[in-house]
Amino acid sequence: MKLHQKGELQLLKEIKERFNPALKQKGSGVILGIGDDAAVFACPGEKILVTTDMMTEGIHFNLNYTSAFQIGFKLVSVNVSDIYAMGGKPRYIFLNIAMKREASEEFFWDFFNGISTANSIYGVKLLGGDISSAINDMSVSATLIGAAEKIVTRAGAKVGDKIYLTNTTGDSACGLEILRRLLPEGKNMIREYDFGLVNKVIEDKKPLTLNINSKHLNLDFNTASSLIKRHLMPLVKYPREFIDNATAMIDVSDGLFIDLLRICDDSNVGAKVYFNKIPVSYQMKIASSIMGLDSHSLATSGGEDYELLFTAPDVKCLINKGSEHRNSLNNSLNSEPAAITCIGEIIPKERVVIALDGTELPLKAEGYQHFSTQG
Amino acid sequence: MKLHQKGELQLLKEIKERFNPALKQKGSGVILGIGDDAAVFACPGEKILVTTDMMTEGIHFNLNYTSAFQIGFKLVSVNVSDIYAMGGKPRYIFLNIAMKREASEEFFWDFFNGISTANSIYGVKLLGGDISSAINDMSVSATLIGAAEKIVTRAGAKVGDKIYLTNTTGDSACGLEILRRLLPEGKNMIREYDFGLVNKVIEDKKPLTLNINSKHLNLDFNTASSLIKRHLMPLVKYPREFIDNATAMIDVSDGLFIDLLRICDDSNVGAKVYFNKIPVSYQMKIASSIMGLDSHSLATSGGEDYELLFTAPDVKCLINKGSEHRNSLNNSLNSEPAAITCIGEIIPKERVVIALDGTELPLKAEGYQHFSTQG
């Protein structure tokens, strides 16, 4: 059934029936859920954190290779990432959804299945939102409300702190490049895939074929899909292991260097980063090499990794556990600790990167920005 | 300058510089404003209210006759309306904005001027958001956070309560019908108009010409513009005079009858409404008659009036002050009391309307809904 055959009121009724029962749990803090003019809750004694992010068709996602489930899942994750990056715990989410009248009801609920799946992983409750028809482009946004006793801003980095990164960066950008080069068959396969989060696991894991300069090259399915899932369905983790040590923190959404410079700007400090310490996953090395892309550029300027970049005094317990964890992405991963790598240190003023040959280069902001000529 | 020449980072920097200073006021509750991963605030001892609304190009607004200023202003108002309808005071707003890369910087800041103007009227502070480019349609949404000691839901109406409405309904829908029929010259004039809120007041108030069934008919400028401003720039009011008496409340956004039925559903009661008591502004009577529209239909099913519909015991102090106030819409109006009309009463089960000839008809939901075949 198409959305315009169903109508807004019936859709809202079904959303309410589906999501409101969970709000009645004791200790949820919810006073009033979906269905009135506003939702109402209480957060006694805690600081309240709010973040909001939008995703628009053609800019943030391409329906040729992204399912509604994946969009819903990612929308929650990218907002949770911001709350985690402040040291908060996510609680309540509000959605704004504009979909075409011709969209199917199946597509609509697939989106909500992605939202629900992510909500249950992160312990988030849907409390409200707005749905609308759209003329051309689908557009979704979420506002996520979290709570914290103590927050970690971007402004607390101190000279002498080490700079740490969870897992690896560049994988999401590399996954996107793979998606762009996939032949239609591969695009269809990936679009239906939920990467083991629900039930739809791909049985036939034959290599994916990429179109590279009009040549068809194969990429091992597991290598490709581990990168693609980093792009389509990022799973983020609460910084349990280092939240007490972190002096400044940000999630890497626009690119490692651009986000590090944000910490520098807000903390009024400099940074020295060692190129050879920046972790790169072996899957990304393989895939970028096949595609003729520079893995270092992807790692330092690729966006949407949603890893945490933080500064902390030199603490021995923050050991590098390698970057393998991300490659066995599944539900249980969320409780596994993130791999942590020290990539440099905070210095008084300069922002520099030590290149592979030992020369000192200026650390430049290269990442994605909307409205820019390259964007 | 076009937005893609300016770039996201520069725009964000300028937004931060413009809006963050106001957050440093004592008692604002703001712990962290725009610029980190999330905003942070405290609301000790109060219930926290959250509402969110979106507006998309081609569905909620038409750039042929709506300015960016008007869109920004309305976006704040429609969200404030929801918080007022719960008995709350609005505090913090978060925005999601998707604009075309080719949009001008002037257009961008005009939108923010509308946001600022509304924020200062309602005492709201911008705390964060997300900006993105859009391929085809502009799309904006806002999440507004308010606080209240006591809330008024839709669920508290009691048998014997009277049903009250602030000001008049149908004016916004009538204003939209005028806009659709305006000749291009009139559309341009209205698009530039800020209805006296800032500085751009139209000096030359000659009649506006409407295209009605290929005939050109004139409508007095003041009559037309009072209705158009109800549609383009609704100004909403805190229910100071009746908040202590109201047992249930909703803002009339989808249509008077559809929203009354929502109170009935949630309160598990019926309603009897007297058609002849439903207030209709004289401007709406004149304009609807010229356009050949039924003023009663507009008043009972027209959307986007953002008036308050509430139930309360029969209280003498809730007197009808007529519907003239709305027609002198200006900044100071926000402190003037709303006109209040009793349009019926809450009864145990039936939902009926007493027609002009005294017959009893079923009260039917007729309003706007997204995705519906008429929508």
Side-chain angles (χ1 to χ4, degrees):
Chain A
M1 194 184 274
K2 307 281 185 194
L3 292 184
H4 70 88
Q5 293 166 305
K6 187 108 181 183
E8 179 188 9
L9 296 185
Q10 183 58 30
L11 291 168
L12 285 176
K13 188 168 168 278
E14 293 179 21
I15 290 171
K16 196 173 153 180
E17 282 165 1
R18 172 169 169 177
F19 288 94
N20 263 357
L23 306 180
K24 291 184 181 133
Q25 290 165 6
K26 262 202 169 178
S28 75
V30 177
I31 299 167
L32 199 66
I34 303 167
D36 214 303
D37 296 302
V40 186
F41 60 87
C43 278
E46 287 188 295
K47 294 182 178 77
I48 298 159
L49 284 70
V50 184
T51 186
T52 190
D53 265 304
M54 76 188 307
M55 291 165 55
T56 55
E57 184 177 350
I59 304 289
H60 296 89
F61 59 86
N62 182 328
L63 291 176
N64 286 329
Y65 47 70
T66 316
S67 69
F69 181 93
Q70 293 160 350
I71 295 165
F73 187 93
K74 183 169 179 174
L75 182 63
V76 179
S77 280
V78 302
N79 278 285
V80 169
S81 181
D82 280 323
I83 296 294
Y84 282 170
M86 298 294 296
K89 297 273 178 81
R91 290 215 178 147
Y92 311 120
I93 199 163
F94 295 82
L95 301 174
N96 281 298
I97 306 156
M99 281 186 194
K100 275 180 263 200
R101 281 163 46 83
E102 297 74 31
S104 70
E105 203 191 334
E106 189 192 352
F107 183 88
F108 182 85
W109 291 117
D110 196 32
F111 171 80
F112 274 94
N113 288 340
I115 296 282
S116 294
T117 303
N119 278 358
S120 61
I121 290 174
Y122 300 120
V124 169
K125 290 179 168 55
L126 177 66
L127 272 202
D130 192 16
I131 61 175
S132 160
S133 38
I135 299 292
N136 293 293
D137 311 322
M138 173 178 168
S139 152
V140 293
S141 67
T143 303
L144 183 63
I145 296 183
E149 288 181 16
K150 178 204 155 209
I151 58 170
V152 182
T153 71
R154 300 176 182 178
K158 303 260 177 305
V159 173
D161 280 353
K162 298 290 182 190
I163 303 166
Y164 297 96
L165 176 67
T166 60
N167 300 305
T168 55
T169 52
D171 298 307
S172 172
C174 187
L176 175 59
E177 293 301 331
I178 295 170
L179 286 167
R180 286 177 173 155
R181 289 166 175 79
L182 276 181
L183 299 189
E185 190 197 4
K187 284 191 185 11
N188 287 339
M189 192 191 287
I190 291 296
R191 194 176 48 211
E192 297 305 318
Y193 200 22
D194 63 20
F195 301 103
L197 279 177
V198 189
N199 291 311
K200 291 183 284 181
V201 178
I202 295 175
E203 296 300 333
D204 178 17
K205 297 187 173 181
K206 63 181 181 190
L208 290 170
T209 308
L210 308 187
N211 182 346
I212 297 165
N213 298 326
S214 305
K215 283 182 200 152
H216 288 185
L217 297 176
N218 282 341
L219 185 58
D220 166 66
F221 183 87
N222 288 329
T223 302
S225 72
S226 73
L227 296 163
I228 290 170
K229 72 187 168 194
R230 288 289 303 272
H231 180 71
L232 291 183
M233 293 183 56
L235 191 61
V236 299
K237 278 189 277 186
Y238 180 72
R240 191 180 294 107
E241 301 81 24
F242 48 89
I243 183 71
D244 290 338
N245 297 103
T247 51
M249 189 155 55
I250 190 171
D251 68 325
V252 182
S253 55
D254 290 336
L256 179 61
F257 280 1
I258 203 171
D259 286 322
L260 176 57
L261 288 173
R262 284 175 175 150
I263 287 184
C264 290
D265 285 345
D266 286 9
S267 298
N268 203 18
V269 294
K272 183 188 275 189
V273 171
Y274 301 90
F275 221 89
N276 67 349
K277 291 191 179 178
I278 294 171
V280 177
S281 72
Y282 69 86
Q283 292 93 334
M284 209 264 272
K285 274 186 202 154
I286 293 169
S288 58
S289 142
I290 287 179
M291 293 188 288
L293 299 172
D294 178 22
S295 60
H296 284 99
S297 293
L298 288 170
T300 57
S301 65
E304 300 204 280
D305 282 301
Y306 303 106
E307 294 299 338
L308 290 171
L309 178 69
F310 65 100
T311 58
D314 191 1
V315 187
K316 290 284 169 279
C317 62
L318 299 178
I319 40 166
N320 183 356
K321 298 208 183 88
S323 58
E324 284 72 36
H325 296 282
R326 275 288 184 183
N327 311 322
S328 60
L329 181 74
N330 60 41
N331 266 341
S332 68
L333 184 76
N334 210 33
S335 58
E336 286 175 22
I340 295 167
T341 308
C342 175
I343 62 166
E345 61 246 4
I346 296 296
I347 58 175
K349 275 202 162 170
E350 284 82 8
R351 290 114 189 250
V352 293
V353 54
I354 308 301
L356 296 179
D357 63 2
T359 55
E360 197 175 284
L361 304 168
L363 201 161
K364 277 190 202 155
E366 282 163 4
Y368 185 84
Q369 65 163 312
H370 289 285
F371 305 118
S372 71
T373 41
Q374 85 268 23
Chain B
M1 194 184 276
K2 306 282 185 194
L3 292 186
H4 69 90
Q5 294 168 304
K6 188 110 180 184
E8 180 188 8
L9 297 185
Q10 183 58 29
L11 291 168
L12 286 175
K13 186 167 170 278
E14 292 179 22
I15 290 170
K16 194 172 154 181
E17 283 166 2
R18 173 169 168 178
F19 287 94
N20 264 355
L23 306 181
K24 291 182 180 135
Q25 289 165 7
K26 262 200 170 180
S28 76
V30 177
I31 297 168
L32 198 66
I34 302 167
D36 215 302
D37 296 302
V40 186
F41 60 86
C43 278
E46 285 188 296
K47 293 182 180 76
I48 298 160
L49 285 70
V50 184
T51 186
T52 190
D53 266 304
M54 77 187 308
M55 291 165 56
T56 55
E57 185 176 351
I59 303 289
H60 298 88
F61 58 86
N62 183 327
L63 291 175
N64 286 330
Y65 46 70
T66 316
S67 70
F69 181 94
Q70 292 160 351
I71 295 166
F73 187 93
K74 183 170 179 174
L75 182 63
V76 178
S77 280
V78 302
N79 278 284
V80 169
S81 179
D82 281 321
I83 297 293
Y84 282 170
M86 298 293 297
K89 296 274 180 79
R91 291 214 178 148
Y92 311 121
I93 199 163
F94 296 81
L95 301 174
N96 281 298
I97 306 157
M99 281 187 194
K100 275 180 264 201
R101 281 163 48 82
E102 297 72 32
S104 70
E105 202 191 334
E106 189 191 353
F107 183 88
F108 183 86
W109 290 117
D110 195 33
F111 172 81
F112 274 94
N113 288 339
I115 296 281
S116 295
T117 303
N119 277 358
S120 62
I121 290 173
Y122 299 121
V124 169
K125 290 180 167 56
L126 177 66
L127 272 202
D130 191 17
I131 60 175
S132 160
S133 39
I135 300 290
N136 293 292
D137 310 321
M138 174 177 167
S139 152
V140 292
S141 68
T143 302
L144 183 63
I145 297 182
E149 288 180 18
K150 178 201 154 211
I151 57 170
V152 182
T153 70
R154 300 175 182 178
K158 303 260 177 304
V159 173
D161 280 353
K162 299 290 183 190
I163 302 166
Y164 297 96
L165 175 69
T166 61
N167 300 304
T168 54
T169 52
D171 298 307
S172 172
C174 187
L176 175 59
E177 293 300 330
I178 294 170
L179 285 167
R180 286 178 173 156
R181 289 165 175 80
L182 275 181
L183 299 189
E185 189 196 7
K187 284 190 186 6
N188 288 338
M189 191 190 287
I190 290 296
R191 195 177 46 214
E192 298 305 317
Y193 200 22
D194 63 21
F195 302 103
L197 279 178
V198 188
N199 291 311
K200 292 184 286 182
V201 178
I202 295 175
E203 296 300 334
D204 178 17
K205 298 187 174 180
K206 62 182 180 190
L208 291 170
T209 308
L210 308 187
N211 183 345
I212 297 165
N213 299 327
S214 304
K215 283 182 199 153
H216 288 186
L217 298 176
N218 282 341
L219 184 59
D220 167 66
F221 183 89
N222 287 330
T223 301
S225 73
S226 73
L227 296 164
I228 290 170
K229 73 186 168 194
R230 287 289 303 272
H231 180 72
L232 291 183
M233 294 183 56
L235 192 60
V236 298
K237 277 188 278 185
Y238 180 72
R240 191 179 296 107
E241 302 82 23
F242 48 88
I243 183 71
D244 291 336
N245 297 102
T247 51
M249 187 155 56
I250 190 171
D251 68 325
V252 182
S253 55
D254 290 336
L256 179 60
F257 280 1
I258 203 171
D259 286 322
L260 175 57
L261 288 173
R262 286 176 174 149
I263 287 184
C264 290
D265 286 344
D266 287 8
S267 298
N268 203 19
V269 294
K272 182 189 276 189
V273 171
Y274 301 90
F275 222 90
N276 67 348
K277 290 190 178 177
I278 295 171
V280 176
S281 72
Y282 70 87
Q283 292 93 333
M284 208 264 272
K285 275 187 202 155
I286 294 169
S288 58
S289 141
I290 287 179
M291 293 188 287
L293 299 172
D294 177 23
S295 61
H296 284 99
S297 293
L298 287 170
T300 57
S301 65
E304 300 204 281
D305 281 302
Y306 304 105
E307 294 299 339
L308 290 171
L309 178 68
F310 64 100
T311 58
D314 192 2
V315 187
K316 290 282 168 282
C317 63
L318 299 179
I319 41 166
N320 182 355
K321 298 210 182 87
S323 57
E324 283 73 36
H325 297 282
R326 277 288 184 179
N327 311 323
S328 59
L329 181 75
N330 59 42
N331 266 342
S332 68
L333 183 75
N334 210 35
S335 57
E336 286 176 22
I340 295 167
T341 307
C342 175
I343 63 167
E345 61 248 4
I346 296 296
I347 57 175
K349 275 201 161 174
E350 284 82 8
R351 289 115 191 250
V352 293
V353 54
I354 308 301
L356 297 179
D357 63 3
T359 54
E360 197 175 284
L361 303 169
L363 202 162
K364 278 191 202 153
E366 283 164 4
Y368 184 83
Q369 64 162 311
H370 289 286
F371 304 118
S372 70
T373 40
Q374 85 268 22

